[in-house]
């Protein structure tokens, strides 16, 4: 795991349950994290520098993004379990995470994540630009 720490899952799942969900194999957890990161990125990539957001570590990470990533990863882990033990709560949290991502995508929610910029540092992630050209004065 690169972005998430195993301790991050304590906010959304207790340790014994996590051991059952990931089938006591950290490789399953790492694989689910990769799936979650890609799914989240697909919602935010056009507006935010999501690669930069996921490259941060420790307290530099956005807390909401950490929680959403945990929820989505756990949802994918539950899908691998026989009889989908505990699926209902994971499904609800997953749906809530996706709803938040759709709000971010629509501009209804604005997370503290760096926006896409060009080489000069100008914001290119905001879908609407405003303003005009400099006023011209013509004297004849």
């Amino acid at each position: 795991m690169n972005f998430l720490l195993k301790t991050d899952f304590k906010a959304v799942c207790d340790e014994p349950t996590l051991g059952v969900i990931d089938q006591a194999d950290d490789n399953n957890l790492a694989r689910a994290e990769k799936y979650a990161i890609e799914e989240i990125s697909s919602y935010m990539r056009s507006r935010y520098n999501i690669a930069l957001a996921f490259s941060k570590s420790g307290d530099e990470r956005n807390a909401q993004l950490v929680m959403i990533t945990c929820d989505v990863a756990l949802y994918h882990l539950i899908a691998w379990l026989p009889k989908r033990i505990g699926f209902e709560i994971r499904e609800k949290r997953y749906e809530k995470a996706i709803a938040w991502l759709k709000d971010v995508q629509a501009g209804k929610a604005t997370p503290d994540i760096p926006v896409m910029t060009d080489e000069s540092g100008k914001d290119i992630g905001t879908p609407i630009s405003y303003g005009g050209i400099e006023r011209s004065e013509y004297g004849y």
Side-chain angles (χ1 to χ4, degrees):
M1 293 191 311
N2 296 325
F3 179 67
L4 296 177
L5 304 172
K6 201 157 187 173
T7 56
D8 293 331
F9 288 94
K10 288 182 180 180
V12 295
C13 180
D14 63 348
E15 198 160 335
T17 305
L18 182 60
V20 170
I21 292 173
D22 74 359
Q23 300 171 11
D25 186 357
D26 286 341
N27 291 329
N28 288 341
L29 206 54
R31 192 168 50 247
E33 178 189 4
K34 283 172 46 175
Y35 296 156
I37 287 173
E38 181 54 35
E39 185 171 358
I40 291 166
S41 296
S42 70
Y43 283 95
M44 302 177 77
R45 189 176 287 126
S46 64
R47 189 167 184 191
Y48 294 96
N49 190 342
I50 200 68
L52 179 61
F54 279 121
S55 69
K56 295 185 178 190
S57 61
D59 289 338
E60 296 176 341
R61 302 174 299 167
N62 180 287
Q64 180 76 17
L65 189 60
V66 170
M67 187 180 71
I68 294 294
T69 307
C70 288
D71 283 334
V72 174
L74 286 174
Y75 175 79
H76 290 302
L77 280 171
I78 288 285
W80 299 336
L81 289 178
K83 297 184 183 179
R84 295 183 174 186
I85 303 164
F87 185 71
E88 296 80 23
I89 186 67
R90 292 291 129 219
E91 185 176 35
K92 286 179 185 175
R93 290 192 63 90
Y94 174 78
E95 288 171 356
K96 192 173 179 180
I98 296 302
W100 180 79
L101 288 168
K102 287 180 179 178
D103 284 347
V104 169
Q105 193 176 43
K108 295 178 184 175
T110 309
D112 187 19
I113 296 174
V115 294
M116 295 294 292
T117 57
D118 62 7
E119 298 81 29
S120 66
K122 182 182 175 194
D123 176 8
I124 59 172
T126 305
I128 299 173
S129 295
Y130 57 90
I133 61 173
E134 273 187 45
R135 181 179 174 171
S136 297
E137 299 275 340
Y138 299 103
Y140 297 100

Coordinates of all heavy atoms in Angstrom, one line a residue, residues 34-74:
K34 N -5.4 -0.1 -4.9 CA -5.1 0.3 -6.3 C -6.4 0.5 -7.0 O -6.6 1.4 -7.8 CB -4.2 -0.7 -7.0 CG -2.8 -0.6 -6.6 CD -1.8 -1.7 -7.1 CE -1.9 -2.0 -8.5 NZ -0.9 -3.0 -8.9
Y35 N -7.4 -0.5 -6.9 CA -8.7 -0.4 -7.5 C -9.4 0.9 -7.1 O -10.0 1.6 -7.9 CB -9.5 -1.6 -7.2 CG -9.0 -2.9 -7.7 CD1 -9.4 -4.1 -7.2 CD2 -8.1 -3.0 -8.8 CE1 -9.0 -5.3 -7.6 CE2 -7.7 -4.2 -9.3 CZ -8.1 -5.4 -8.7 OH -7.6 -6.6 -9.2
A36 N -9.4 1.1 -5.8 CA -10.1 2.3 -5.2 C -9.5 3.6 -5.7 O -10.2 4.5 -6.1 CB -10.0 2.2 -3.7
I37 N -8.1 3.7 -5.7 CA -7.5 4.9 -6.2 C -7.9 5.2 -7.7 O -8.1 6.3 -8.0 CB -6.0 4.8 -6.0 CG1 -5.6 4.9 -4.5 CG2 -5.2 5.8 -6.9 CD1 -4.2 4.7 -4.2
E38 N -7.9 4.1 -8.5 CA -8.2 4.3 -9.9 C -9.7 4.8 -10.0 O -10.0 5.6 -10.8 CB -8.0 3.1 -10.7 CG -8.3 3.2 -12.2 CD -7.6 4.4 -12.8 OE1 -6.5 4.8 -12.5 OE2 -8.2 5.1 -13.7
E39 N -10.6 4.1 -9.3 CA -12.0 4.5 -9.3 C -12.2 6.0 -8.9 O -12.9 6.7 -9.5 CB -12.8 3.6 -8.5 CG -14.3 3.8 -8.6 CD -15.2 2.7 -7.9 OE1 -14.6 1.8 -7.4 OE2 -16.4 2.9 -8.0
I40 N -11.6 6.4 -7.8 CA -11.7 7.7 -7.3 C -11.1 8.7 -8.3 O -11.6 9.8 -8.6 CB -11.0 7.8 -5.9 CG1 -11.9 7.1 -4.9 CG2 -10.9 9.3 -5.5 CD1 -11.2 6.8 -3.6
S41 N -9.9 8.3 -8.9 CA -9.3 9.2 -9.8 C -10.1 9.5 -11.1 O -10.1 10.6 -11.6 CB -7.9 8.6 -10.3 OG -7.1 8.5 -9.2
S42 N -10.9 8.5 -11.5 CA -11.7 8.6 -12.6 C -12.8 9.7 -12.5 O -13.2 10.4 -13.4 CB -12.4 7.3 -13.0 OG -13.4 7.0 -12.1
Y43 N -13.2 10.0 -11.2 CA -14.2 11.0 -10.9 C -13.5 12.4 -10.8 O -14.1 13.4 -11.1 CB -14.9 10.8 -9.6 CG -16.0 9.7 -9.7 CD1 -15.7 8.4 -9.4 CD2 -17.3 10.0 -10.1 CE1 -16.7 7.4 -9.4 CE2 -18.3 9.1 -10.2 CZ -18.0 7.8 -9.9 OH -18.9 6.8 -9.9
M44 N -12.2 12.4 -10.4 CA -11.6 13.7 -10.1 C -10.5 14.1 -11.0 O -10.0 15.3 -10.9 CB -11.1 13.6 -8.6 CG -12.2 13.3 -7.6 SD -11.5 13.1 -6.0 CE -11.3 14.8 -5.5
R45 N -10.1 13.3 -11.9 CA -8.9 13.5 -12.7 C -9.0 14.8 -13.6 O -8.0 15.5 -13.8 CB -8.6 12.3 -13.6 CG -7.3 12.3 -14.3 CD -7.1 11.0 -15.1 NE -6.8 9.9 -14.1 CZ -7.4 8.8 -14.1 NH1 -8.4 8.5 -14.9 NH2 -7.0 7.8 -13.2
S46 N -10.2 15.1 -14.1 CA -10.3 16.2 -15.1 C -10.2 17.5 -14.4 O -9.8 18.5 -15.1 CB -11.6 16.1 -15.8 OG -12.7 16.2 -14.9
R47 N -10.4 17.6 -13.1 CA -10.4 18.9 -12.4 C -9.3 19.1 -11.4 O -8.8 20.2 -11.2 CB -11.8 19.1 -11.7 CG -12.0 20.5 -11.2 CD -13.4 20.7 -10.8 NE -13.6 22.0 -10.4 CZ -14.7 22.5 -9.8 NH1 -15.6 21.6 -9.5 NH2 -14.8 23.7 -9.4
Y48 N -8.9 18.0 -10.8 CA -7.9 18.0 -9.7 C -6.6 17.3 -10.1 O -6.7 16.3 -10.9 CB -8.5 17.4 -8.4 CG -9.6 18.2 -7.9 CD1 -10.9 17.9 -8.1 CD2 -9.4 19.4 -7.1 CE1 -12.0 18.7 -7.6 CE2 -10.4 20.1 -6.6 CZ -11.7 19.8 -6.9 OH -12.7 20.5 -6.4
N49 N -5.5 17.7 -9.5 CA -4.3 17.0 -9.7 C -4.3 15.8 -8.7 O -3.7 15.9 -7.7 CB -3.1 18.0 -9.5 CG -1.8 17.4 -9.9 OD1 -1.7 16.1 -10.0 ND2 -0.8 18.2 -10.0
I50 N -5.0 14.8 -9.1 CA -5.3 13.7 -8.2 C -4.0 12.9 -8.0 O -3.8 12.3 -6.9 CB -6.5 12.9 -8.7 CG1 -7.1 12.0 -7.6 CG2 -6.1 12.1 -9.9 CD1 -7.7 12.8 -6.5
A51 N -3.1 12.8 -9.0 CA -1.9 12.1 -8.8 C -1.0 12.7 -7.7 O -0.4 12.0 -6.8 CB -1.1 12.1 -10.1
L52 N -1.0 14.1 -7.6 CA -0.3 14.8 -6.5 C -1.0 14.5 -5.2 O -0.3 14.3 -4.2 CB -0.3 16.3 -6.8 CG 0.4 17.2 -5.8 CD1 1.9 16.8 -5.6 CD2 0.3 18.6 -6.1
A53 N -2.3 14.5 -5.2 CA -3.1 14.2 -3.9 C -2.8 12.8 -3.4 O -2.6 12.6 -2.2 CB -4.5 14.4 -4.2
F54 N -2.7 11.8 -4.3 CA -2.4 10.5 -3.9 C -1.0 10.2 -3.6 O -0.6 9.2 -3.0 CB -3.0 9.5 -4.9 CG -4.5 9.2 -4.7 CD1 -5.3 9.4 -5.8 CD2 -5.0 8.7 -3.6 CE1 -6.7 9.2 -5.7 CE2 -6.3 8.5 -3.5 CZ -7.2 8.7 -4.5
S55 N -0.1 11.1 -4.0 CA 1.3 10.9 -3.7 C 1.7 11.4 -2.3 O 2.8 11.2 -1.9 CB 2.2 11.6 -4.8 OG 2.1 13.1 -4.6
K56 N 0.9 12.1 -1.7 CA 1.2 12.7 -0.3 C 1.1 11.6 0.7 O 0.5 10.5 0.5 CB 0.2 13.8 0.0 CG 0.4 15.0 -0.9 CD -0.4 16.2 -0.5 CE -0.1 17.3 -1.5 NZ -0.7 18.6 -1.0
S57 N 1.7 11.8 1.9 CA 1.7 10.8 2.9 C 1.5 11.5 4.3 O 1.6 12.7 4.4 CB 3.1 10.1 2.9 OG 4.1 10.9 3.1
G58 N 1.2 10.7 5.2 CA 1.0 11.2 6.6 C -0.1 12.2 6.7 O -1.1 12.1 6.2
D59 N 0.2 13.3 7.5 CA -0.7 14.3 7.8 C -1.0 15.3 6.6 O -1.8 16.1 6.6 CB -0.3 15.1 9.0 CG -0.5 14.4 10.3 OD1 -1.3 13.4 10.3 OD2 0.2 14.7 11.3
E60 N -0.1 15.1 5.5 CA -0.3 16.0 4.3 C -1.5 15.5 3.5 O -2.0 16.3 2.7 CB 1.0 15.9 3.4 CG 2.2 16.4 4.1 CD 3.4 16.2 3.2 OE1 3.4 15.4 2.3 OE2 4.4 16.9 3.4
R61 N -1.9 14.3 3.7 CA -3.1 13.7 2.9 C -4.4 14.4 3.3 O -4.6 14.8 4.5 CB -3.2 12.2 3.2 CG -2.0 11.5 2.8 CD -2.1 10.0 3.2 NE -2.3 9.9 4.6 CZ -2.6 8.8 5.2 NH1 -2.9 7.7 4.6 NH2 -2.8 8.8 6.5
N62 N -5.3 14.5 2.4 CA -6.6 15.0 2.6 C -7.4 14.0 3.4 O -7.5 12.8 2.9 CB -7.3 15.4 1.3 CG -8.7 15.9 1.5 OD1 -9.6 15.2 1.8 ND2 -8.8 17.2 1.3
A63 N -7.9 14.3 4.6 CA -8.6 13.3 5.4 C -9.8 12.7 4.8 O -10.1 11.5 4.9 CB -9.0 14.0 6.8
Q64 N -10.6 13.5 4.1 CA -11.8 13.0 3.4 C -11.4 12.0 2.3 O -12.0 11.0 2.1 CB -12.6 14.2 2.8 CG -13.8 13.8 2.0 CD -15.0 13.4 2.9 OE1 -15.0 13.8 4.1 NE2 -15.9 12.8 2.4
L65 N -10.3 12.3 1.6 CA -9.8 11.4 0.5 C -9.4 10.1 1.1 O -9.6 9.1 0.5 CB -8.7 12.1 -0.3 CG -8.3 11.4 -1.6 CD1 -9.4 11.3 -2.6 CD2 -7.1 12.2 -2.2
V66 N -8.7 10.2 2.2 CA -8.3 8.9 2.9 C -9.5 8.1 3.3 O -9.5 6.9 3.0 CB -7.4 9.2 4.2 CG1 -7.2 8.0 5.0 CG2 -6.1 9.9 3.8
M67 N -10.5 8.7 3.9 CA -11.7 8.0 4.3 C -12.4 7.4 3.1 O -12.9 6.2 3.1 CB -12.6 8.8 5.1 CG -13.8 8.1 5.7 SD -14.9 9.1 6.6 CE -15.7 10.0 5.4
I68 N -12.6 8.1 2.0 CA -13.3 7.7 0.8 C -12.5 6.5 0.2 O -13.1 5.5 -0.2 CB -13.4 8.8 -0.2 CG1 -14.4 9.9 0.4 CG2 -13.9 8.3 -1.5 CD1 -15.8 9.5 0.5
T69 N -11.2 6.6 0.2 CA -10.4 5.5 -0.4 C -10.5 4.3 0.4 O -10.6 3.2 -0.1 CB -8.9 6.0 -0.5 OG1 -8.8 7.2 -1.2 CG2 -8.1 5.0 -1.2
C70 N -10.5 4.4 1.8 CA -10.8 3.2 2.6 C -12.1 2.6 2.4 O -12.2 1.4 2.2 CB -10.7 3.6 4.1 SG -9.0 4.0 4.7
D71 N -13.2 3.4 2.3 CA -14.5 2.9 2.0 C -14.6 2.1 0.7 O -15.2 1.0 0.6 CB -15.5 4.0 2.1 CG -15.9 4.4 3.5 OD1 -15.7 3.6 4.4 OD2 -16.3 5.6 3.6
V72 N -14.0 2.7 -0.3 CA -14.1 2.1 -1.7 C -13.3 0.8 -1.7 O -13.7 -0.2 -2.2 CB -13.7 3.1 -2.8 CG1 -13.6 2.4 -4.1 CG2 -14.6 4.3 -2.8
A73 N -12.1 0.8 -1.1 CA -11.2 -0.4 -1.0 C -11.9 -1.5 -0.2 O -11.9 -2.6 -0.7 CB -9.9 0.0 -0.4
L74 N -12.5 -1.2 0.9 CA -13.3 -2.2 1.7 C -14.4 -2.8 0.9 O -14.7 -4.0 1.0 CB -13.7 -1.6 3.0 CG -12.6 -1.4 4.0 CD1 -13.1 -0.7 5.3 CD2 -12.0 -2.7 4.4

